[in-house]
Amino acid sequence: MDEKEALTEALIAAHPEAVRERLKASDGILKVPEALLTSRQVRHPPAVILYGLLLGMANKYSRIFVSNGKLAQLLNVKSVNSITNYLKELMTGGFISLSYAHTGLKTARQIKINCIPKPGNYIGIPLEAIKDNTITPLQALIIGCVYSWMWKYKRIYIFINANDVAKALNKPTKTIKNNITALAKAGYLERFEHNQLTVKLQHCTIEQVIDYDLLDK
């Protein structure tokens, strides 16, 4: 066990509340069922993110009436046609269903969520990654995987490799490696050693947490 890992273990034992604060996404998280990540019908990462957005709406509103234009805006995509394709993927996979009500000259579309994830059966993606236009949907899913595993194991950094993420997201390992490198350059992920990663959220980094712990000694 090296010095940094020893400091981290001491931090977890002495200050579990600091670990929780380190892992807290201040802007909240977007939940995505793990079943979507490996679904053969839902092939595009933006469709997965779209489901997470719809799930958030379902938790807030009794019925979901939202236009493709608004969904495109929330998902940071330019083409409304893309939203139509992503909705079709989610319907084919059985994750959502659509119904239409005709009132005079207007037609209202309602979106119904068919798959509600149970606790522990989803990944949580920090919303700050979703809102960042420079982060692709696949990169947001990678961040979500790392972030969720950190929460699961109550670690402020974890040992994983690109194969682990690739398997979870059902994507080629080379693609995941390239995107992890891009996220590290962008400052969203930090690598201490070859297979050691942590998510860098907006308000707190692992260095700050360890520094605070050392100041208390």
Side-chain angles (χ1 to χ4, degrees), residues 64-121:
I64 306 174
F65 295 98
V66 59
S67 68
N68 284 6
K70 181 62 176 178
L71 290 175
Q73 180 183 355
L74 293 173
L75 198 60
N76 292 323
V77 299
K78 297 180 180 180
S79 173
V80 174
N81 291 333
S82 296
I83 297 298
T84 300
N85 293 332
Y86 301 150
L87 290 174
K88 286 180 179 178
E89 288 187 22
L90 293 172
M91 285 190 292
T92 301
F95 295 100
I96 67 169
S97 58
L98 304 182
S99 61
Y100 297 86
H102 302 282
T103 56
L105 298 177
K106 294 183 179 180
T107 300
R109 182 191 66 186
Q110 180 178 347
I111 302 175
K112 181 181 178 181
I113 300 293
N114 295 334
C115 174
I116 303 295
K118 297 179 180 179
N121 292 331

Side-chain angles (χ1 to χ4, degrees), residues 121-190:
N121 292 331
Y122 63 84
I123 67 167
I125 307 171
L127 283 178
E128 60 189 75
I130 302 296
K131 296 175 182 178
D132 189 340
N133 293 332
T134 67
I135 299 297
T136 69
L138 176 58
Q139 290 172 349
L141 291 177
I142 293 172
I143 291 172
C145 282
V146 178
Y147 177 80
S148 299
W149 292 337
M150 289 166 67
W151 258 114
K152 179 179 180 179
Y153 298 109
K154 296 297 185 290
R155 306 278 303 193
I156 50 180
Y157 64 84
I158 57 174
F159 288 92
I160 61 172
N161 57 45
N163 289 328
D164 298 326
V165 182
K167 184 177 180 180
L169 298 180
N170 195 28
K171 299 295 180 184
T173 299
K174 183 177 180 180
T175 299
I176 298 300
K177 283 183 178 179
N178 292 338
N179 279 278
I180 286 177
T181 299
L183 286 168
K185 289 181 179 179
Y188 270 96
L189 296 181
E190 185 164 3

